[in-house]
Amino acid sequence: MKKILLSFLILCFTHLAFAEDGYELWLRYHKIENPSLLQKYQSRNKGVVFTANSDRLKAAKKELALGLKGLLDIDLADSQNLTSGGVLIGTPESSGLIAQSGYAKEINGLDPEGYIIRTVNIDGKQITLVAAKTDIGVLYGVFHYLRLMQTNQSLDKLAITEEPKLQLRVLDHWDNLNGTIERGYAGYTLWDWARLPNYKSPRYTDYARANASIGINGAVLNNVNANAKSLRVEWLIKAAALADAFRPYGIRVYLTARFSAPKEIGGLPTADPLDPQVRQWWKDKAKEIYGYIPDFGGFLVKANSEGQPGPQDYGRTHADGANMMAEALEPYGGVVFWRAFVYQNERHIDRVMNGYEEFKPLDGAFNKNVFVQPKNGPIDFQPREPFHPLFGAMSKTALALEFQITQENLGHAGHLVYLGSLFEETLQSDTYENGKGSTVSKVLQNYKKTHGISGIAGVPNTGTDLNWTGHLFGQANWHAFGRLAWNPDMTSEEMSEEWIRMTFSNDKKIIDPIQKIMLMSREAAVNYMTPLGLNHIMNYDTHNGPEPWHDDPVWSAFDYHKASESGVGVDRTRTGTNAVGQYHEPLSSQLNDVKTCPPQFLLWFHRMAWDYKMPSGNTLWNELVAHYYLGVEEVRQMQTIWNSLEKDIDEERFVHVKSLLELQEKEAVWWRDGCLLFFQQYSQLPIPSKYEQPKHSLNYYKRIPYPYNWKESQYK
Amino acid sequence: MKKILLSFLILCFTHLAFAEDGYELWLRYHKIENPSLLQKYQSRNKGVVFTANSDRLKAAKKELALGLKGLLDIDLADSQNLTSGGVLIGTPESSGLIAQSGYAKEINGLDPEGYIIRTVNIDGKQITLVAAKTDIGVLYGVFHYLRLMQTNQSLDKLAITEEPKLQLRVLDHWDNLNGTIERGYAGYTLWDWARLPNYKSPRYTDYARANASIGINGAVLNNVNANAKSLRVEWLIKAAALADAFRPYGIRVYLTARFSAPKEIGGLPTADPLDPQVRQWWKDKAKEIYGYIPDFGGFLVKANSEGQPGPQDYGRTHADGANMMAEALEPYGGVVFWRAFVYQNERHIDRVMNGYEEFKPLDGAFNKNVFVQPKNGPIDFQPREPFHPLFGAMSKTALALEFQITQENLGHAGHLVYLGSLFEETLQSDTYENGKGSTVSKVLQNYKKTHGISGIAGVPNTGTDLNWTGHLFGQANWHAFGRLAWNPDMTSEEMSEEWIRMTFSNDKKIIDPIQKIMLMSREAAVNYMTPLGLNHIMNYDTHNGPEPWHDDPVWSAFDYHKASESGVGVDRTRTGTNAVGQYHEPLSSQLNDVKTCPPQFLLWFHRMAWDYKMPSGNTLWNELVAHYYLGVEEVRQMQTIWNSLEKDIDEERFVHVKSLLELQEKEAVWWRDGCLLFFQQYSQLPIPSKYEQPKHSLNYYKRIPYPYNWKESQYK
């Protein structure tokens, strides 16, 4: 009794002193506030029949107990007998009741990760059935069931059937073995390498729970700029310990593979993918890995890109390299994700076209268990890019799409930018591969039919920060990626509402303003950073803040904007580099014609005079100015909306977001003024007087260091 | 009403899903379990008269509200009228009631940081008075008052007067500007440089609360291996933002100063401390810093040590360098901590003697606002060292003692080693400076009289890990350092009991076994790492695990153990290097004579034959073996005791500690077997057969990498 009392007190007062730090993510399970709804839910959870004999079912049951306790103040009453108003959970294998129900056949026909949630009558009792073909489906079903209550949906007449539309839903962590995270802004790696494998942090389980709750089923543990050491035994046993921690939640572990590993750690004189010794080395390595991690997912490889070694070092193709690894993994069911993010660092070549040019000719040359993985756009995770032209161009090769969840080019952990909008924009872009309606989403989904497998990857924004993502709203981007990986046709409206309900409140007076902020935020960022198709004008080193003036022999922003007195933008039409030729018709012609090219991609595909007359009636220059000013204005609107919520949101989270919005406003002005003053050198046109004029000179903005100083006195 | 309900639910259920992660530290404020005690406490907190008009008093009041709510479920009822059974809090300045009470004179005579907690009668009402001369004293008093309840002490007849025995109680963070922490094992820096100064993490406040609760009043933000950039304006404004966050909790910010900063960031051709331009640069820099941080504490400097620049580069002395900085800081009340951790990297010189030799001749040459700061021992934070001979040798120079709280040489965040015992051992060591009883503690305290100032520093074990210190028991070492900084004569029994009560339970059945583990843990570590005065035989690179075999031209473990077939240990007697001559009599003679030298320092001061007959009757070799085996045995005892607590401790913390003890046991065996097999090469003597024999060869242990692999099959 004392022990129970103590437990309750511990539950109740743990973190009393440090509430609302964001650690819980969207898995909050706070008690349902609406009394009548609470009563309804309680009446639908009168008894739970849930036999859990596997680690995954146990994880599901633990989650359910946590959820019912928190949401409904109900202690999970475990029963073998169905009660009206009860819940039956399991698989046909785990539950005789389910096996003998009329639903067994349907359930066994589901995708292995699918589930149903149904209001059904069994033995004359009306109950809720949460059932799946496999244990992991049950876990997903339980998370969905809890989510229904977290978002205040009805539990009456449930008729939910869910199956993932993409099979491999993976986070690609860019975590280095020394603990730092490339382009990570929320602290450092979650993997406590020094104390693994002996000590397993409880945070691994919380990480896995969060991922499983949104359907993510894989994690590449380490950076694509890979360290060959990660394939050595002393690291493999650590990866295996993580795999053990993740397994109950259906997360498979993957590793990046440095192409030159056979030389660096294998003692071979070459890493040539056609060399028999090299091929054997990878086979032996795969066997070794599967000895430690029986459900190892496979390799992610960045090869012959940005200085990484690869098959081209030996005159071989990407396919030669990828297939070698695929062969080694194939006996165990592993896959290779082979990145299509490659470019020649030669200034006469249009970088936008590189990936397509290298991979399109290889269509069909890859083994079945290889994914070629382009980024969402053809450059590099810019605030806005057209979709990568390889989507729709590789019918004989499985493609996996790589999104970036971490905000490398979108203000790091300082800016509120909801990426649901960006992800949706790419996924709903029409490739016209098979006529109208061949969206990127459909292209990705279709590989299940043609290759038996489909996939998507996200480079996460997670780290050791208490709130996981640095910016509280960064959590929404992790959530959105997971939800879209499960169903790429979800809308950002749906996803953002769900996230707000689970994170803040089910009160429309709170949901609506927060959703408004989220849904306007990405366009705001594009406006104050890179409107009208501009791109790659960020700080060369940090990728935060403007640096369209960067110009050195290795890398020049001028290759991306080509600003001069005669105009701005890159001519990628048929009379230019013909990047438009990499897209299907009618899109290709639409992009090619300045009159039909969507304005948001204007300067991406076209070079325009400063006084070009836009459809709005503005000159190009004035339109550019208008966008930059609008971006700052939108951030200020976001501030106003957020500040109106002061009384409705706990102090800790309110102040957190408020102060970050203040930072964002300052940086938005930095972007706007820095870029406009830079381009003005070439346009020689004024910023119309109706706008607040830049307070500083271009030189001032050029001298802002990073980490920068906002004390104005310092950089006059 | 709804808002209140919501707040309660948030308090109650936040972190329900992720309870007991250690984030709360010892500031848990869980409800008092004993019902009669609860009632007593409630009757002693019937009303609080506490006018809080300053940031510090507000912080104190907020803490009190948090504590009373959690411990007693009492909402702080703010009143202007005294009630019997109430509490009166404040200073004579903040409270008319206190000013007019009979206690005002006594209170105004307290140390500025002191306070009283008294059961008193005012206007015929029996109340508890928590009062101080200054606001920060009130905050300390409130923490003490809450601690009384947290540790289940009586609130009747209170008659507490507390004043700190050392004035400057400082944490020296070895945090780099890139976020890593030198010798940090609990994640990465708590200072979120990228988002400072605009975004202030709530964790800064929690950090400050934790420190204030144990009386720490200063923080050096950055590494002693300093980066001159940290003195540039863009970093100063970040440091200033941290100072703003810490100020309500009485924590002053200090910075490390790279001696060559005038050259590196000041554009001067020299950093010669006697150069007028250099002196002016530091004066200007001090003025600039105080413009941003009006209560800036001062500089910590590592100069002419391990490659750091310093005054000797210009033929000047440490005093020349320190005094230059002291002059710059003096107008603003700042101080210089000048480290005495210096050594020539030349193998013919006894490193143990270096600090004394360099600084003793300078006694009296330092300005009043300079501390010379030796480490606790003359080498470098070894598991056990004799106290540094400068203590007791510098009557004309204020010394601050530097302890290491982070376990650089004590198993990192993997080993449970309670350092209260180590700290106490040093502080209670008798220097005999003024005859018997001149303990290091007294030497430190005495500087207040002679110099108006006294101080102590600790290199903390804090980082971004959820539980702050990596190992939950690392929190106890942070706690112990703070408590000893306030009162260097506290015992490790007192401190450990207090910490256990605040962290785990007030139940003696839980306190006693945990305390037993803590109090045996440091001796266990010495036994399995460096018994009998051995030292500096750890891994050269990581400082974890044994490497007595390390031997290269730069650094050789053989300089520290001098093992050969003729024996082991370093002759530092009068016929050897005469390091014993740096200590006062009678200690010097006691150390000099092998028969009176304490066994724990035997091989530190003496070179002994392997078959030397110890007082125990054992040969030296067998005694060494016995100690190493005892160390492992003690860890196993710690495991047994901990495991017996399974039913009494929440699962999360139980498993955390259990799995780390398993790791510790493995590493203890690694230390034992690695060291004994190494020394056995020279002793040529067997490990007596009554002991479990090493399972592996010396080569096996030499090949264990770090991060290492415990799969035995791999390193045969």
Side-chain angles (χ1 to χ4, degrees):
Chain A
M1 181 61 193
K2 190 179 154 199
K3 173 78 181 165
I4 292 170
L5 179 67
L6 184 65
S7 301
F8 173 72
L9 290 173
I10 287 171
L11 285 178
C12 205
F13 288 102
T14 294
H15 281 260
L16 175 142
F18 309 94
E20 295 301 358
D21 54 25
Y23 186 83
E24 291 182 306
L25 297 163
W26 48 86
L27 300 175
R28 288 162 63 82
Y29 307 143
H30 291 203
K31 196 166 173 186
I32 300 293
E33 290 171 49
N34 178 328
S36 74
L37 193 62
L38 174 63
Q39 209 174 13
K40 271 192 199 165
Y41 287 166
Q42 285 167 335
S43 73
R44 286 274 172 210
N45 286 279
K46 280 193 195 154
V48 176
V49 181
F50 186 173
T51 304
N53 289 325
S54 74
D55 287 346
R56 285 180 180 172
L57 291 179
K58 281 176 192 161
K61 195 164 180 178
K62 200 169 164 186
E63 196 70 32
L64 184 73
L66 209 56
L68 294 183
K69 181 72 194 160
L71 292 163
L72 310 182
D73 198 18
I74 285 181
D75 291 306
L76 190 146
D78 204 2
S79 162
Q80 293 304 315
N81 302 311
L82 286 183
T83 334
S84 266
V87 189
L88 171 61
I89 304 181
T91 66
E93 201 177 322
S94 76
S95 162
L97 280 166
I98 294 175
Q100 291 146 31
S101 75
Y103 303 92
K105 197 178 162 197
E106 180 188 349
I107 293 165
N108 279 325
L110 286 170
D111 179 281
E113 293 178 308
Y115 55 87
I116 59 169
I117 305 179
R118 296 274 173 82
T119 309
V120 297
N121 262 282
I122 293 184
D123 297 344
K125 288 154 191 157
Q126 199 197 47
I127 59 148
T128 305
L129 174 65
V130 180
K133 183 179 173 184
T134 70
D135 295 350
I136 195 63
V138 173
L139 179 70
Y140 291 149
V142 164
F143 274 116
H144 191 144
Y145 180 65
L146 291 171
R147 188 162 64 223
L148 292 174
M149 292 183 274
Q150 286 181 277
T151 56
N152 285 9
Q153 295 179 62
S154 170
L155 295 187
D156 302 333
K157 300 177 192 164
L158 292 171
I160 294 166
T161 305
E162 279 280 343
E163 294 179 304
K165 296 193 178 167
L166 298 173
Q167 271 57 61
L168 301 182
R169 306 174 297 277
V170 181
L171 293 184
D172 290 2
H173 290 272
W174 288 358
D175 291 14
N176 298 311
L177 300 187
N178 71 358
T180 57
I181 303 177
E182 184 161 332
R183 307 300 177 185
Y185 311 102
Y188 299 82
T189 183
L190 291 167
W191 327 136
D192 184 355
W193 293 123
R195 296 192 291 179
L196 282 167
N198 284 69
Y199 176 64
K200 288 181 203 166
S201 164
R203 196 158 185 173
Y204 304 149
T205 300
D206 291 335
Y207 165 85
R209 288 176 58 225
N211 278 327
S213 75
I214 48 176
I216 288 168
N217 67 5
V220 182
L221 299 181
N222 53 332
N223 194 347
V224 286
N225 293 319
N227 186 330
K229 276 188 205 163
S230 65
L231 297 176
R232 284 186 53 174
V233 59
E234 61 266 30
W235 291 95
L236 293 179
I237 58 171
K238 293 167 188 287
L242 288 173
D244 292 344
F246 300 162
R247 191 168 294 110
Y249 295 89
I251 319 273
R252 289 170 80 181
V253 156
Y254 299 70
L255 294 171
T256 53
R258 188 161 160 90
F259 198 80
S260 49
K263 286 169 70 180
E264 292 182 48
I265 62 167
L268 297 184
T270 175
D272 181 348
L274 299 192
D275 181 289
Q277 273 192 298
V278 172
R279 299 178 80 83
Q280 190 58 46
W281 188 88
W282 284 107
K283 283 179 181 160
D284 293 344
K285 184 51 72 178
K287 186 176 176 194
E288 182 189 3
I289 294 173
Y290 280 94
Y292 293 114
I293 310 173
D295 57 352
F296 179 65
F299 293 135
L300 168 65
V301 188
K302 175 176 179 177
N304 292 123
S305 175
E306 296 183 329
Q308 293 296 313
Q312 295 174 346
D313 303 348
Y314 305 93
R316 315 300 184 189
T317 69
H318 285 296
D320 292 330
N323 292 342
M324 167 187 66
M325 293 191 187
E327 255 182 54
L329 296 166
E330 198 274 332
Y332 314 97
V335 302
V336 174
F337 291 99
W338 191 271
R339 293 175 95 229
F341 174 70
V342 296
Y343 61 95
Q344 314 300 325
N345 232 344
E346 292 173 35
R347 294 181 62 176
H348 64 281
I349 296 174
D350 183 4
R351 176 174 163 188
V352 162
M353 300 171 70
N354 261 202
Y356 182 99
E357 284 171 348
E358 284 203 32
F359 281 88
K360 171 70 180 164
L362 296 173
D363 190 22
F366 292 93
N367 286 13
K368 277 271 181 181
N369 60 331
V370 173
F371 284 97
V372 169
Q373 182 169 302
K375 295 184 179 184
N376 59 300
I379 287 195
D380 190 2
F381 296 140
Q382 293 299 293
R384 169 167 277 135
E385 300 192 29
F387 69 89
H388 199 297
L390 280 172
F391 296 111
M394 299 281 277
S395 62
K396 289 177 270 176
T397 303
L399 295 179
L401 186 153
E402 180 177 309
F403 279 126
Q404 196 178 41
I405 309 168
T406 187
Q407 294 171 223
E408 174 179 349
N409 298 301
L410 282 149
H412 297 183
H415 294 207
L416 193 168
V417 183
Y418 182 54
L419 298 181
S421 316
L422 187 160
F423 301 157
E424 182 185 18
E425 181 177 292
T426 301
L427 289 165
Q428 296 308 322
S429 294
D430 199 338
T431 70
Y432 295 95
E433 181 180 19
N434 299 304
K436 194 164 160 56
S438 307
T439 58
V440 172
S441 164
K442 290 216 169 59
V443 167
L444 293 175
Q445 291 179 52
N446 199 49
Y447 290 116
K448 191 185 174 190
K449 285 179 216 130
T450 58
H451 283 67
I453 197 164
S454 58
I456 191 166
V459 179
N461 54 354
T462 50
T464 50
D465 275 9
L466 278 186
N467 72 3
W468 299 86
T469 55
H471 198 306
L472 183 76
F473 277 78
Q475 298 182 354
N477 296 334
W478 181 8
H479 172 268
F481 171 76
R483 299 293 279 137
L484 285 170
W486 182 275
N487 176 6
D489 293 324
M490 274 188 89
T491 67
S492 43
E493 280 79 4
E494 291 166 333
M495 296 185 297
S496 58
E497 180 173 336
E498 178 179 295
W499 180 79
I500 297 165
R501 285 179 180 272
M502 294 169 86
T503 303
F504 284 107
S505 172
N506 280 291
D507 182 344
K508 283 292 274 179
K509 290 200 306 291
I510 296 174
I511 296 169
D512 289 348
I514 297 181
Q515 192 178 33
K516 185 163 182 198
I517 290 173
M518 290 171 77
L519 295 182
M520 73 190 289
S521 62
R522 188 270 184 137
E523 202 61 42
V526 171
N527 281 329
Y528 65 70
M529 288 177 171
T530 54
L532 293 176
L534 286 173
N535 62 84
H536 231 287
I537 55 175
M538 67 288 184
N539 180 286
Y540 170 71
D541 186 28
T542 65
H543 294 196
N544 196 41
E547 202 182 350
W549 47 83
H550 191 92
D551 185 25
D552 69 39
V554 176
W555 188 84
S556 172
F558 286 78
D559 292 347
Y560 297 88
H561 59 65
K562 294 196 187 283
S564 74
E565 293 186 10
S566 70
V568 64
V570 184
D571 184 359
R572 294 189 166 110
T573 65
R574 289 168 192 155
T575 51
T577 68
N578 197 24
V580 298
Q582 294 182 339
Y583 292 95
H584 290 285
E585 289 295 1
L587 177 61
S588 179
S589 291
Q590 187 195 341
L591 296 173
N592 186 61
D593 183 345
V594 68
K595 295 210 182 64
T596 54
C597 180
Q600 65 267 33
F601 296 125
L602 198 66
L603 302 178
W604 186 286
F605 288 109
H606 298 271
R607 178 167 178 75
M608 319 287 295
W610 293 107
D611 60 357
Y612 176 82
K613 207 56 160 269
M614 302 285 290
S616 65
N618 275 336
T619 61
L620 173 66
W621 167 252
N622 280 346
E623 188 81 359
L624 197 66
V625 171
H627 275 280
Y628 272 111
Y629 274 85
L630 178 61
V632 171
E633 194 43 52
E634 286 169 321
V635 175
R636 289 174 184 162
Q637 283 173 34
M638 288 159 59
Q639 289 184 283
T640 304
I641 299 170
W642 183 259
N643 292 343
S644 76
L645 289 165
E646 180 163 8
K647 294 221 167 67
D648 302 304
I649 291 182
D650 53 281
E651 188 189 347
E652 189 163 349
R653 293 190 291 176
F654 176 77
V655 171
H656 166 86
V657 176
K658 180 174 189 279
S659 54
L660 286 172
L661 283 170
E662 285 166 11
L663 179 152
Q664 184 172 2
E665 193 268 349
K666 285 178 180 160
E667 298 200 346
V669 171
W670 174 30
W671 268 99
R672 178 193 74 188
D673 293 357
C675 288
L676 286 178
L677 290 172
F678 169 78
F679 288 121
Q680 194 178 37
Q681 297 176 107
Y682 303 100
S683 77
Q684 301 284 338
L685 291 167
I687 293 169
S689 61
K690 66 177 174 181
Y691 296 115
E692 61 182 24
Q693 298 293 304
K695 286 209 187 97
H696 306 287
S697 68
L698 177 59
N699 269 339
Y700 168 90
Y701 291 107
K702 284 188 179 178
R703 288 173 61 199
I704 288 182
Y706 185 87
Y708 44 79
N709 166 29
W710 288 113
K711 294 259 179 182
E712 302 195 351
S713 61
Q714 297 305 319
Y715 291 94
K716 272 179 191 150
Chain B
M1 183 61 195
K2 188 179 155 199
K3 172 79 181 165
I4 291 170
L5 180 67
L6 184 65
S7 301
F8 174 71
L9 289 174
I10 287 170
L11 285 177
C12 207
F13 286 104
T14 296
H15 282 257
L16 178 142
F18 306 95
E20 294 301 358
D21 54 26
Y23 186 82
E24 291 183 304
L25 297 163
W26 48 85
L27 300 175
R28 289 162 60 84
Y29 307 144
H30 291 205
K31 195 164 172 187
I32 300 296
E33 289 171 50
N34 178 327
S36 74
L37 193 61
L38 174 62
Q39 209 175 11
K40 271 191 199 166
Y41 286 165
Q42 285 167 335
S43 73
R44 286 274 172 207
N45 286 278
K46 279 194 195 153
V48 176
V49 181
F50 187 172
T51 304
N53 289 324
S54 74
D55 287 347
R56 284 180 180 171
L57 291 179
K58 281 176 192 160
K61 195 165 179 177
K62 201 169 164 186
E63 195 70 32
L64 184 72
L66 208 57
L68 294 183
K69 181 72 193 160
L71 292 163
L72 310 182
D73 197 17
I74 285 182
D75 291 307
L76 188 146
D78 204 2
S79 161
Q80 293 305 314
N81 302 311
L82 286 183
T83 332
S84 266
V87 189
L88 171 62
I89 304 181
T91 65
E93 202 179 322
S94 76
S95 161
L97 281 167
I98 295 175
Q100 290 147 30
S101 75
Y103 302 92
K105 197 179 160 196
E106 181 189 349
I107 293 165
N108 279 325
L110 287 170
D111 180 280
E113 295 178 306
Y115 55 87
I116 60 170
I117 305 180
R118 296 273 174 82
T119 309
V120 297
N121 260 282
I122 293 185
D123 297 344
K125 288 152 188 158
Q126 200 197 48
I127 59 149
T128 306
L129 174 65
V130 181
K133 184 179 173 184
T134 70
D135 295 351
I136 195 64
V138 173
L139 179 70
Y140 291 150
V142 164
F143 274 117
H144 190 144
Y145 181 65
L146 292 170
R147 187 161 67 223
L148 291 173
M149 292 183 274
Q150 285 180 280
T151 57
N152 285 10
Q153 294 179 63
S154 170
L155 295 186
D156 303 332
K157 299 178 193 163
L158 293 170
I160 294 166
T161 304
E162 278 280 344
E163 295 179 301
K165 296 191 178 168
L166 298 172
Q167 272 56 59
L168 302 182
R169 306 175 298 276
V170 181
L171 293 184
D172 291 1
H173 290 271
W174 288 358
D175 291 14
N176 298 312
L177 300 187
N178 70 358
T180 57
I181 303 178
E182 184 161 333
R183 307 301 178 186
Y185 311 102
Y188 299 82
T189 184
L190 292 167
W191 327 136
D192 184 355
W193 293 123
R195 297 193 292 180
L196 282 168
N198 284 68
Y199 176 64
K200 288 181 202 165
S201 164
R203 196 159 185 173
Y204 303 150
T205 300
D206 291 335
Y207 164 85
R209 288 176 58 225
N211 279 327
S213 76
I214 49 176
I216 288 168
N217 67 5
V220 182
L221 299 181
N222 54 333
N223 193 349
V224 287
N225 294 318
N227 186 329
K229 277 190 206 162
S230 64
L231 298 176
R232 283 187 53 175
V233 59
E234 60 266 30
W235 292 94
L236 293 180
I237 58 172
K238 293 166 187 291
L242 288 172
D244 291 344
F246 299 162
R247 192 168 293 111
Y249 294 89
I251 319 273
R252 290 169 80 181
V253 155
Y254 299 70
L255 293 171
T256 52
R258 187 158 159 92
F259 197 80
S260 49
K263 285 170 69 180
E264 292 182 48
I265 63 166
L268 297 184
T270 176
D272 181 347
L274 300 191
D275 181 289
Q277 274 191 298
V278 172
R279 298 179 82 83
Q280 190 58 45
W281 188 89
W282 283 106
K283 282 180 183 162
D284 293 345
K285 182 53 72 179
K287 188 178 174 191
E288 182 189 4
I289 295 173
Y290 280 93
Y292 292 114
I293 310 173
D295 58 351
F296 179 65
F299 294 136
L300 169 65
V301 187
K302 175 176 179 177
N304 292 124
S305 175
E306 295 182 331
Q308 293 297 312
Q312 295 174 347
D313 303 348
Y314 305 94
R316 315 301 182 187
T317 68
H318 285 294
D320 293 330
N323 292 342
M324 169 186 65
M325 294 193 187
E327 257 181 54
L329 295 166
E330 198 273 334
Y332 314 97
V335 302
V336 174
F337 290 99
W338 191 272
R339 293 176 95 229
F341 174 69
V342 297
Y343 60 94
Q344 315 300 326
N345 234 343
E346 293 173 33
R347 295 181 63 175
H348 63 282
I349 296 174
D350 183 2
R351 176 174 163 189
V352 162
M353 300 171 72
N354 259 205
Y356 182 98
E357 284 172 349
E358 283 203 34
F359 281 88
K360 170 71 179 164
L362 296 172
D363 189 23
F366 292 91
N367 287 11
K368 275 272 180 181
N369 60 330
V370 174
F371 283 97
V372 168
Q373 182 169 301
K375 295 184 178 182
N376 59 297
I379 287 194
D380 190 2
F381 297 139
Q382 293 299 293
R384 169 167 278 136
E385 301 192 28
F387 70 89
H388 199 297
L390 279 172
F391 297 111
M394 299 282 276
S395 60
K396 288 177 271 174
T397 303
L399 295 180
L401 187 154
E402 180 177 309
F403 278 126
Q404 196 178 43
I405 308 167
T406 187
Q407 295 172 222
E408 174 179 349
N409 298 302
L410 283 147
H412 298 181
H415 295 205
L416 193 168
V417 182
Y418 182 54
L419 298 181
S421 315
L422 187 160
F423 301 157
E424 181 185 19
E425 180 176 295
T426 302
L427 289 165
Q428 297 308 322
S429 293
D430 200 337
T431 70
Y432 295 95
E433 182 182 19
N434 299 302
K436 194 164 162 54
S438 307
T439 58
V440 172
S441 165
K442 289 217 168 60
V443 167
L444 293 175
Q445 292 180 53
N446 198 49
Y447 290 117
K448 192 187 172 191
K449 285 180 215 129
T450 58
H451 284 67
I453 198 166
S454 60
I456 192 165
V459 180
N461 54 354
T462 51
T464 50
D465 275 10
L466 278 186
N467 72 4
W468 300 85
T469 54
H471 198 306
L472 184 76
F473 277 77
Q475 298 182 352
N477 296 335
W478 181 9
H479 172 268
F481 170 77
R483 299 292 280 138
L484 286 170
W486 182 275
N487 176 7
D489 293 324
M490 274 188 89
T491 67
S492 45
E493 281 79 4
E494 290 166 333
M495 297 186 297
S496 58
E497 179 173 337
E498 177 180 295
W499 179 80
I500 297 164
R501 285 179 179 271
M502 294 170 85
T503 303
F504 284 105
S505 171
N506 280 291
D507 182 344
K508 285 292 275 178
K509 291 201 302 291
I510 296 174
I511 297 169
D512 289 348
I514 297 181
Q515 190 177 35
K516 186 165 183 197
I517 290 173
M518 291 170 76
L519 295 182
M520 72 190 290
S521 62
R522 188 270 184 136
E523 203 60 40
V526 171
N527 280 330
Y528 64 72
M529 289 177 172
T530 54
L532 293 177
L534 285 172
N535 61 84
H536 231 286
I537 56 175
M538 68 287 183
N539 181 285
Y540 170 70
D541 187 27
T542 65
H543 294 193
N544 197 40
E547 201 182 351
W549 46 84
H550 190 91
D551 185 23
D552 68 37
V554 176
W555 188 84
S556 172
F558 286 77
D559 292 346
Y560 297 88
H561 59 64
K562 295 194 185 286
S564 73
E565 292 186 10
S566 70
V568 63
V570 184
D571 184 359
R572 295 190 167 109
T573 65
R574 289 168 193 156
T575 52
T577 68
N578 196 26
V580 298
Q582 294 182 339
Y583 292 94
H584 291 284
E585 289 295 1
L587 177 61
S588 180
S589 291
Q590 189 195 341
L591 298 172
N592 187 61
D593 183 346
V594 69
K595 296 210 180 64
T596 54
C597 181
Q600 66 266 34
F601 297 124
L602 197 65
L603 301 178
W604 186 286
F605 289 108
H606 298 271
R607 179 167 179 75
M608 318 287 295
W610 294 108
D611 60 357
Y612 176 83
K613 207 54 161 269
M614 302 285 288
S616 66
N618 275 336
T619 61
L620 171 67
W621 168 253
N622 279 347
E623 188 80 0
L624 197 66
V625 171
H627 274 280
Y628 272 111
Y629 275 85
L630 177 60
V632 171
E633 195 42 53
E634 286 169 321
V635 174
R636 290 172 184 164
Q637 282 172 35
M638 287 158 59
Q639 290 184 283
T640 304
I641 299 170
W642 183 258
N643 292 343
S644 75
L645 290 165
E646 180 162 10
K647 294 223 167 67
D648 302 305
I649 292 182
D650 52 282
E651 187 188 351
E652 189 163 349
R653 294 190 291 177
F654 177 76
V655 170
H656 166 88
V657 175
K658 180 174 189 278
S659 54
L660 286 173
L661 284 170
E662 286 166 10
L663 179 153
Q664 183 172 2
E665 192 269 348
K666 285 178 181 162
E667 298 199 345
V669 172
W670 174 30
W671 268 100
R672 179 194 73 189
D673 292 356
C675 288
L676 286 178
L677 290 171
F678 169 79
F679 289 121
Q680 193 176 40
Q681 297 176 107
Y682 304 100
S683 78
Q684 302 284 337
L685 293 166
I687 293 168
S689 60
K690 65 178 174 181
Y691 296 115
E692 61 182 23
Q693 298 293 304
K695 288 209 186 97
H696 307 287
S697 68
L698 178 58
N699 270 340
Y700 168 89
Y701 291 106
K702 284 188 179 178
R703 288 173 61 198
I704 288 181
Y706 186 88
Y708 44 78
N709 165 27
W710 287 112
K711 294 261 178 180
E712 301 196 352
S713 61
Q714 296 305 320
Y715 290 95
K716 270 177 193 151

